[in-house]
């Protein structure tokens, strides 16, 4: 058995963080030219009715993590049935998972290791997050109300 110790307070060296951010940006430039870059090394793309935030975060002493996060539905009626539905979907979906933020925003996220990032891997991750969020936002809004990212009419 391999024991991998993950320190949530890891001090990923700046050169790894910068190299990972540059790798992500180069892929976004080539595949998603409409991407938006923020000063803190975060990025966003819009696909269908959703927006995906791409964030490079510290992970370990020798790796960063790339999080692809879509806000699926805002202001939904959070019920026990909805929670069960989301948990069951988490068990069915191959990659990523639904979650609930502090303000009850339903998100879908998928994370990748940064230092060995492959272009195809990031493109597939972003397409998967976009497809899942774009599909399930309609399903959730139809049963539990709320608003999709495009319903908010907010420019990032």
């Amino acid at each position: 058995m391999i024991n991998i110790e993950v320190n949530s307070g890891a001090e990923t060296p700046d050169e790894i963080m910068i190299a990972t951010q540059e790798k992500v940006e180069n892929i976004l430039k080539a595949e998603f030219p409409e991407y938006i870059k923020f000063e803190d090394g975060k990025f966003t793309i819009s696909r269908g009715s959703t927006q995906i935030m791409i964030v490079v975060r510290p992970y370990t002493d020798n790796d960063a993590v790339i999080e692809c996060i879509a806000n699926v539905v805002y202001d939904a009626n959070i019920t026990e049935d909805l929670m069960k539905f989301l948990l069951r979907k988490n068990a069915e979906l191959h990659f990523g998972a639904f979650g609930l933020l502090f303000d009850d925003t339903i998100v879908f996220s998928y994370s990748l290791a940064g230092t060995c990032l492959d272009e195809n891997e990031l493109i597939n991750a972003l397409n998967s997050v976009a497809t899942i969020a774009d599909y399930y936002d309609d399903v959730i809004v139809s049963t539990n109300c709320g608003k999709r990212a495009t319903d908010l009419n907010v420019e990032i």
Side-chain angles (χ1 to χ4, degrees):
M1 183 168 148
I2 298 173
N3 184 16
I4 299 174
E5 188 172 319
V6 176
N7 176 2
S8 61
E11 292 295 324
T12 303
D14 286 343
E15 60 269 11
I16 291 175
M17 294 294 294
I18 292 166
T20 304
Q21 289 171 354
E22 288 174 353
K23 193 183 303 185
V24 168
E25 186 169 17
N26 288 334
I27 295 168
L28 292 175
K29 280 181 186 175
E31 296 296 323
F32 304 95
E34 77 288 354
Y35 80 98
I36 298 170
K37 179 181 180 181
F38 296 91
E39 289 181 23
D40 57 1
K42 295 176 183 165
F43 309 90
T44 189
I45 63 171
S46 294
R47 298 282 307 276
S49 61
T50 194
Q51 293 175 328
I52 303 164
M53 182 68 71
I54 302 106
V55 182
V56 178
R57 296 192 195 278
Y59 183 54
T60 65
D61 293 340
N62 57 8
D63 205 352
V65 66
I66 301 161
E67 295 179 351
C68 306
I69 309 155
N71 290 341
V72 180
V73 177
Y74 304 86
D75 296 326
N77 295 324
I78 306 299
T79 64
E80 184 177 338
D81 286 343
L82 176 60
M83 300 299 280
K84 287 180 182 179
F85 172 80
L86 295 174
L87 284 172
R88 288 189 178 110
K89 288 301 165 191
N90 284 347
E92 293 173 13
L93 296 169
H94 299 297
F95 302 104
F98 286 101
L100 197 61
L101 298 181
F102 65 93
D103 65 353
D104 287 343
T105 297
I106 299 167
V107 297
F108 186 81
S109 64
Y110 180 30
S111 299
L112 304 163
T115 56
C116 62
L117 179 67
D118 171 272
E119 179 177 346
N120 189 50
E121 184 179 28
L122 180 60
I123 293 166
N124 285 331
L126 291 171
N127 286 330
S128 293
V129 170
T131 300
I132 290 166
D134 190 31
Y135 176 79
Y136 284 104
D137 62 2
D138 293 327
V139 171
I140 294 166
V141 167
S142 73
T143 58
N144 291 77
C145 300
K147 297 177 182 79
R148 303 169 305 155
T150 57
D151 296 335
L152 296 177
N153 228 2
V154 175
E155 283 292 320
I156 294 182

